[in-house]
Amino acid sequence: STRYSTKIKTPTNAGTAHEVSNKQRIFFTDPVSPGSIFFLPNGTKIFNKLLQFMKLQQQHKYGFQEVVTPLIYRKSLWEQSGHWDNYKDDMFRVMGSDTSKEEYGLKPMNCPGHCVIFKRFDRSYNELPVRLSDFSPLHRNEASGALSGLTRVRKFHQDDGHIFCAPGQVEEEIIKCLKLVDLCYTKIFPLSESLQSAAYSLELSTRPDNFIGDIEIWNHAEDVLKDILMKSGKEWEINEGDGAFYGPKIDIKVSDKSGKSHQIATIQLDFQLPERFDLRYKDRDNTYKRPIMIHRAVFGSLERFLAMLIDRNEGKWPFWLNPRQAMIIPVNTKQAAQVDASRKLLSYLRHEGDPNDDMPVPLNSFHFNVDIDERAEPVGYRIKDALTKDYSYLIIIGDKEVESSKYAVRTRQDRALEHLTSQEIFAKFSDLERRYV
Amino acid sequence: STRYSTKIKTPTNAGTAHEVSNKQRIFFTDPVSPGSIFFLPNGTKIFNKLLQFMKLQQQHKYGFQEVVTPLIYRKSLWEQSGHWDNYKDDMFRVMGSDTSKEEYGLKPMNCPGHCVIFKRFDRSYNELPVRLSDFSPLHRNEASGALSGLTRVRKFHQDDGHIFCAPGQVEEEIIKCLKLVDLCYTKIFPLSESLQSAAYSLELSTRPDNFIGDIEIWNHAEDVLKDILMKSGKEWEINEGDGAFYGPKIDIKVSDKSGKSHQIATIQLDFQLPERFDLRYKDRDNTYKRPIMIHRAVFGSLERFLAMLIDRNEGKWPFWLNPRQAMIIPVNTKQAAQVDASRKLLSYLRHEGDPNDDMPVPLNSFHFNVDIDERAEPVGYRIKDALTKDYSYLIIIGDKEVESSKYAVRTRQDRALEHLTSQEIFAKFSDLERRYV
Ligand SMILES: [Zn+2]
Ligand SMILES: [Zn+2]
């Protein structure tokens, strides 16, 4: 993660997130833990899908290896990393009941822990780059007055990653980071104001006056970054002298509906932590060299990213993320055959196991978030209600559908009915999820 | 989780876990965070697979809903739950930099947070049972002298779950909990000493002298539990008066290789927390009733469960859990065609995306942990080496295999070769993972 980030501007429209959350039971906060989100089952479904998406991309397309790391570290580690001097007031302190013993810091970022992992083994040039990803909960002690919904929190999760590489590998690594950013923000999560405007903008921040390290390494790195940005064909601008003292960075920003710009992803070079932790690898020539560290996050804070998604979609989730993917509506709830067929389809699409048998639910299986509305209300009323509740699909089952075993499927947006068998619906839904649509 | 658990006996054989871990790079510990595990990439793969398995069973076979909850809670919550009086010394305290402000407790268990969720909404009889699952990291301040590998830790993860139900639902809920236990310990993770002995044993602990609550509720609950155990056809015994003061419980125990018995799963009734949090639901007759709370975990601590798996398998993981699923070995590494075919198969079985295109890695896709040994060493040497490293499968590619596009596949245990196309290998591996074999 960004190491000593300044407060990040967040969507102004916290109202939308609250409204959608109340309607869909996504999350809540409570004074028992100010600034920590309680994700309800529907919110947890969305949260887990976002994680799943990112883990798959990082591990199977971009060469990351996931690790699970401690949450509390001795004060001495934070002194070594420099956080104790620079960041102490934003950190939570942890103590055992014997408060005279050494205290711990509850981690606000994963970087020092990843340095410990890198340092643990003798590293050779031929295993670089080492790319570690981590989804640990992080804590920062924001002032209680500033806390707000999903956007100003004390506990959050980052799709965090650190790359330890040789100086000559920086270019390729940054290009790959930007590819993943592009995949996310143009293809899977278009957050921008309109299809006309760019999905996101890029900002390069360069060497500040109080920089540390070798000026030639800085110059080279900045040249590499500029060159990459130039060739990217994307909008970008430069903030001269606005980099962190330990390295230049690229921030990725999107605009919310009101046109306000927000930082989401970040890619940050670090010449300092490898020094502080005395990280090294054995090069081809048998001498020890210092790796460069790259901090990067694509979603950034998952909580904030979720807020931006809601700001944009107002609860109209794409199918794959929707905790309410389809509502099944038997036309006449007094017709046992219609209700039976509806319940069978419900169980088929949920792909539920029987608690009484000893067959495990298979790994990597699809299970759709489908509900049934069997209330003795007019069908038109129930259709309208399901639309109000933002279901992606409605599946309507009358006598004709029961007889043909082909059910009437319509989307949220379009009244047009498609008649599909249960297998066809399952295949259609699987295809949508598989492709993140 | 068990609320005020006494220290749990753990496998004595920490040596095996360390040896396997060193060989396979599964985890390590470090003085920067005593008692917190660093899971390395291979360990994280196993950890995530175990989570995936349990989440699928709980959510799609046993009706649980996953939630993500805060890690730090105000002291006042722990006072309300009773932990501050009974458990304070085992908890970590958390403070902001302004230590004069109210302090927090780093959670040692999820129960109070789940009570907050239950209480947040008006609950009706027709939404019971509410079954919440949670995989939060938990912290308990074990004495530093007692810390050991995966088994005596300060940070751990439970496959934790809490069921809030009406008194009349207890029987069915307990039966279902035991079904999931049975699925795990007889079918997916047989941990017992031999196939002859029972996979696990059950112990019922009944009302102690210092019980709280209504004696008739206790009597009824104990009768229900005895009746379930009687009908289960499993070995069980009774520990009279050994229950917690807030409710009776069933502990599930397995024996390690040395024959020593260890508690793994637990199912625990709780008549007290619903009182302390004033939990209630509106019954059919429009009056408010108190739900019963059931704490249950099947793996228990994932860290300890992993230690027990290693104690049992000594690093010979079943295919689906193995971070080293297959090793590809070109017979003659000077033959470009053999090396090419090997690399192609590697990429096919890993199912890796191209970082340069904009096709996302699909949701729920299979990606096998396959490596290649291209070293210019004799094929016999490389086969032996892969076996030493505990790969589940070896795939050997010589001229004949290149020509036929059918590759020679053998298991860790058996030299017999099966000739399969890459598609057939992928299908075979997918089938093994899908079935947790
Ligand atoms: Zn970082
Ligand atoms: Zn509990």
Side-chain angles (χ1 to χ4, degrees):
Chain A
S1 76
T2 320
R3 282 178 51 212
Y4 311 112
S5 69
T6 49
K7 311 299 183 208
I8 288 162
K9 281 180 292 178
T10 48
T12 36
N13 206 351
T16 309
H18 270 291
E19 209 177 288
V20 171
S21 176
N22 286 341
K23 190 171 146 191
Q24 301 185 355
R25 289 203 176 177
I26 292 178
F27 74 93
F28 68 83
T29 55
D30 191 282
V32 296
S33 187
S36 289
I37 304 294
F38 287 82
F39 283 102
L40 290 164
N42 281 349
T44 303
K45 280 180 183 174
I46 298 168
F47 182 90
N48 282 338
K49 279 275 175 64
L50 293 173
L51 282 190
Q52 251 182 300
F53 163 80
M54 189 51 76
K55 288 187 177 190
L56 283 164
Q57 310 318 310
Q58 292 190 159
Q59 286 172 49
H60 303 297
K61 196 172 160 83
Y62 292 98
F64 279 85
Q65 299 186 296
E66 190 187 340
V67 292
V68 174
T69 52
L71 301 187
I72 65 175
Y73 296 89
R74 283 195 165 139
K75 196 175 97 178
S76 51
L77 180 87
W78 301 110
E79 286 167 348
Q80 187 176 6
S81 70
H83 285 89
W84 207 254
D85 283 344
N86 294 284
Y87 204 77
K88 190 173 47 185
D89 290 345
D90 288 327
M91 279 174 66
F92 284 104
R93 295 153 184 231
V94 179
M95 263 160 275
S97 48
D98 180 356
T99 51
S100 67
K101 294 212 175 155
E102 191 180 6
E103 63 179 322
Y104 298 82
L106 189 55
K107 72 176 169 189
M109 44 197 80
N110 295 305
C111 341
H114 290 187
C115 288
V116 170
I117 291 179
F118 186 88
K119 199 179 169 67
R120 179 78 177 200
F121 303 96
D122 290 328
R123 302 289 185 175
S124 154
Y125 71 93
N126 61 27
E127 57 182 305
L128 299 187
V130 169
R131 306 181 193 93
L132 301 178
S133 70
D134 200 322
F135 299 87
S136 288
L138 303 173
H139 288 81
R140 296 185 189 174
N141 189 14
E142 301 270 346
S144 59
L147 300 176
S148 167
L150 290 168
T151 56
R152 288 295 281 273
V153 292
R154 286 179 172 165
K155 178 198 177 206
F156 61 102
H157 300 77
Q158 263 188 333
D159 59 332
D160 203 4
H162 294 99
I163 301 168
F164 300 89
C165 66
Q169 294 172 323
V170 167
E171 180 172 7
E172 194 185 332
E173 291 307 308
I174 302 284
I175 289 174
K176 279 195 208 160
C177 290
L178 287 171
K179 289 265 179 201
L180 178 51
V181 166
D182 202 57
L183 173 67
C184 274
Y185 294 108
T186 61
K187 187 137 178 172
I188 310 293
F189 305 100
L191 285 170
S192 73
E193 174 59 6
S194 73
L195 290 174
Q196 277 70 48
S197 74
Y200 57 88
S201 67
L202 297 155
E203 290 182 18
L204 172 65
S205 297
T206 59
R207 195 182 62 239
D209 292 337
N210 63 341
F211 75 99
I212 61 106
D214 184 347
I215 196 162
E216 290 195 10
I217 293 182
W218 273 90
N219 287 339
H220 175 69
E222 289 180 0
D223 287 347
V224 166
L225 296 180
K226 280 178 199 162
D227 191 53
I228 291 168
L229 290 171
M230 219 98 88
K231 289 178 183 158
S232 72
K234 303 277 175 190
E235 277 181 40
W236 67 282
E237 53 188 71
I238 194 161
N239 299 326
E240 293 285 3
D242 215 26
F245 69 92
Y246 53 85
K249 65 173 179 170
I250 297 174
D251 288 330
I252 291 90
K253 299 190 173 179
V254 299
S255 305
D256 70 13
K257 264 208 293 217
S258 69
K260 209 172 143 191
S261 165
H262 304 283
Q263 188 208 307
I264 36 168
T266 184
I267 303 168
Q268 196 158 340
L269 297 194
D270 191 335
F271 309 130
Q272 193 210 28
L273 275 192
E275 293 285 339
R276 281 184 170 266
F277 283 92
D278 190 23
L279 304 183
R280 57 185 204 166
Y281 63 94
K282 195 180 247 177
D283 207 354
R284 217 175 282 267
D285 62 5
N286 268 324
T287 63
Y288 285 101
K289 300 261 167 70
R290 192 73 79 205
I292 286 175
M293 188 170 177
I294 304 172
H295 310 254
R296 39 107 284 159
V298 180
F299 289 149
S301 150
L302 256 96
E303 282 75 2
R304 192 160 40 89
F305 182 69
L306 199 58
M308 298 208 58
L309 284 180
I310 295 175
D311 176 65
R312 179 65 46 193
N313 69 30
E314 296 181 320
K316 306 233 171 316
W317 299 97
F319 178 81
W320 75 282
L321 283 178
N322 201 344
R324 292 172 172 171
Q325 292 180 310
M327 176 64 95
I328 299 174
I329 302 176
V331 174
N332 183 344
T333 52
K334 283 181 193 131
Q335 292 273 1
Q338 289 183 23
V339 173
D340 275 3
S342 297
R343 289 182 187 172
K344 248 186 214 152
L345 183 64
L346 178 76
S347 162
Y348 181 76
L349 294 176
R350 285 184 174 176
H351 192 186
E352 274 175 341
D354 178 349
N356 292 310
D357 70 27
D358 68 347
M359 295 296 301
V361 177
L363 203 74
N364 284 358
S365 44
F366 286 99
H367 303 269
F368 301 107
N369 303 318
V370 181
D371 296 308
I372 189 167
D373 188 349
E374 296 182 348
R375 289 176 299 170
E377 301 281 354
V379 65
Y381 173 87
R382 285 176 289 146
I383 288 174
K384 209 175 147 196
D385 190 51
L387 292 174
T388 309
K389 287 177 175 151
D390 299 322
Y391 282 85
S392 292
Y393 284 89
L394 275 52
I395 306 175
I396 298 147
I397 301 185
D399 282 337
K400 205 182 78 184
E401 285 74 24
V402 170
E403 205 175 304
S404 64
S405 296
K406 291 199 163 199
Y407 307 112
V409 180
R410 60 159 286 188
T411 64
R412 187 163 57 199
Q413 302 84 3
D414 189 347
R415 287 161 175 270
L417 296 175
E418 195 180 7
H419 278 81
L420 300 174
T421 65
S422 44
Q423 289 79 5
E424 285 166 345
I425 299 173
F426 197 93
K428 180 193 182 82
F429 285 0
S430 303
D431 179 59
L432 293 173
E433 282 217 359
R434 211 175 268 126
R435 297 188 292 116
Y436 309 102
V437 175
Chain B
S1 75
T2 319
R3 282 176 53 211
Y4 311 111
S5 70
T6 49
K7 311 300 182 205
I8 288 161
K9 282 179 293 178
T10 48
T12 37
N13 206 351
T16 310
H18 269 291
E19 211 176 286
V20 171
S21 176
N22 286 341
K23 190 171 146 192
Q24 302 185 354
R25 288 203 177 176
I26 293 179
F27 75 93
F28 68 83
T29 55
D30 192 281
V32 295
S33 187
S36 289
I37 305 293
F38 287 83
F39 282 102
L40 290 163
N42 281 349
T44 304
K45 280 179 183 174
I46 298 169
F47 182 91
N48 282 338
K49 280 272 177 66
L50 293 174
L51 282 191
Q52 252 182 298
F53 163 80
M54 190 51 76
K55 288 186 179 191
L56 283 165
Q57 309 319 311
Q58 291 189 160
Q59 285 172 49
H60 303 298
K61 196 171 160 81
Y62 292 98
F64 278 84
Q65 299 187 296
E66 191 186 339
V67 293
V68 174
T69 51
L71 301 186
I72 65 175
Y73 297 88
R74 283 195 164 140
K75 197 175 96 178
S76 51
L77 181 86
W78 302 110
E79 287 168 346
Q80 187 176 7
S81 71
H83 285 87
W84 207 254
D85 283 343
N86 294 283
Y87 204 77
K88 189 174 48 186
D89 289 346
D90 288 327
M91 280 175 66
F92 284 104
R93 295 152 185 232
V94 179
M95 265 160 274
S97 49
D98 180 357
T99 51
S100 68
K101 293 209 176 160
E102 191 180 6
E103 62 180 322
Y104 297 83
L106 189 54
K107 72 176 168 188
M109 44 196 81
N110 295 305
C111 341
H114 290 187
C115 288
V116 170
I117 291 179
F118 185 88
K119 199 178 168 67
R120 180 77 177 199
F121 303 97
D122 290 328
R123 302 290 185 174
S124 153
Y125 71 93
N126 60 25
E127 59 181 304
L128 299 188
V130 169
R131 306 182 195 93
L132 301 178
S133 71
D134 199 321
F135 299 87
S136 288
L138 303 174
H139 288 79
R140 297 184 188 175
N141 189 14
E142 301 270 346
S144 58
L147 299 176
S148 167
L150 289 169
T151 54
R152 289 292 283 272
V153 293
R154 285 177 173 167
K155 179 200 175 204
F156 61 101
H157 301 75
Q158 264 188 334
D159 59 330
D160 204 5
H162 293 99
I163 301 168
F164 300 90
C165 66
Q169 294 172 321
V170 167
E171 179 171 6
E172 195 186 333
E173 291 306 308
I174 301 284
I175 289 173
K176 279 195 209 160
C177 290
L178 287 171
K179 289 266 180 201
L180 178 52
V181 166
D182 201 57
L183 172 68
C184 274
Y185 294 108
T186 60
K187 187 139 179 173
I188 311 293
F189 305 100
L191 286 170
S192 73
E193 173 60 6
S194 73
L195 290 174
Q196 277 70 46
S197 74
Y200 56 88
S201 66
L202 297 156
E203 290 182 19
L204 171 65
S205 297
T206 57
R207 194 181 64 238
D209 291 338
N210 64 341
F211 75 98
I212 60 107
D214 184 345
I215 196 161
E216 289 194 11
I217 292 182
W218 274 89
N219 286 341
H220 176 68
E222 290 181 1
D223 287 346
V224 166
L225 296 181
K226 281 180 200 164
D227 191 53
I228 292 169
L229 289 170
M230 218 100 87
K231 288 179 183 155
S232 72
K234 303 277 176 191
E235 278 181 38
W236 68 281
E237 52 189 73
I238 195 161
N239 297 327
E240 292 285 4
D242 215 27
F245 70 91
Y246 53 83
K249 66 173 178 169
I250 296 173
D251 288 329
I252 291 90
K253 300 190 173 180
V254 298
S255 306
D256 70 14
K257 265 208 294 221
S258 68
K260 209 173 142 191
S261 166
H262 304 283
Q263 189 208 308
I264 37 169
T266 186
I267 304 168
Q268 196 158 340
L269 298 194
D270 192 336
F271 309 131
Q272 192 210 27
L273 275 190
E275 294 284 337
R276 280 182 171 267
F277 283 93
D278 190 22
L279 305 182
R280 57 185 205 167
Y281 63 93
K282 195 180 245 178
D283 207 354
R284 217 175 281 268
D285 63 4
N286 268 324
T287 64
Y288 284 101
K289 299 261 166 71
R290 191 75 79 205
I292 287 175
M293 187 171 179
I294 304 173
H295 311 256
R296 40 108 284 158
V298 179
F299 289 150
S301 150
L302 256 96
E303 283 75 2
R304 192 159 43 88
F305 182 69
L306 200 57
M308 298 208 60
L309 284 180
I310 295 175
D311 175 67
R312 179 65 45 191
N313 69 31
E314 296 182 322
K316 307 232 173 314
W317 299 98
F319 179 81
W320 75 280
L321 283 177
N322 201 343
R324 293 171 171 170
Q325 292 180 310
M327 175 64 95
I328 299 173
I329 303 176
V331 173
N332 184 343
T333 53
K334 283 179 194 132
Q335 293 272 3
Q338 288 183 24
V339 174
D340 275 4
S342 298
R343 289 182 188 171
K344 247 184 217 153
L345 183 63
L346 178 75
S347 162
Y348 181 76
L349 293 176
R350 285 184 174 175
H351 192 186
E352 273 175 341
D354 178 349
N356 293 307
D357 70 26
D358 68 346
M359 294 296 301
V361 177
L363 202 74
N364 284 359
S365 43
F366 285 98
H367 303 270
F368 302 107
N369 303 318
V370 181
D371 296 308
I372 188 167
D373 188 349
E374 297 183 349
R375 288 176 300 168
E377 301 281 357
V379 65
Y381 173 89
R382 284 177 290 146
I383 287 173
K384 210 177 143 193
D385 190 50
L387 291 174
T388 309
K389 287 177 175 150
D390 298 324
Y391 283 85
S392 293
Y393 284 88
L394 276 52
I395 305 175
I396 298 146
I397 302 185
D399 283 338
K400 205 183 78 186
E401 284 73 24
V402 170
E403 206 175 302
S404 63
S405 296
K406 291 199 164 198
Y407 308 112
V409 180
R410 58 159 286 188
T411 64
R412 186 162 59 198
Q413 301 86 1
D414 188 348
R415 287 158 176 272
L417 296 175
E418 194 181 8
H419 279 81
L420 300 173
T421 64
S422 44
Q423 290 78 4
E424 285 166 345
I425 300 172
F426 197 94
K428 181 193 180 84
F429 286 0
S430 303
D431 179 58
L432 293 173
E433 282 217 358
R434 211 174 269 125
R435 296 188 293 116
Y436 310 102
V437 174

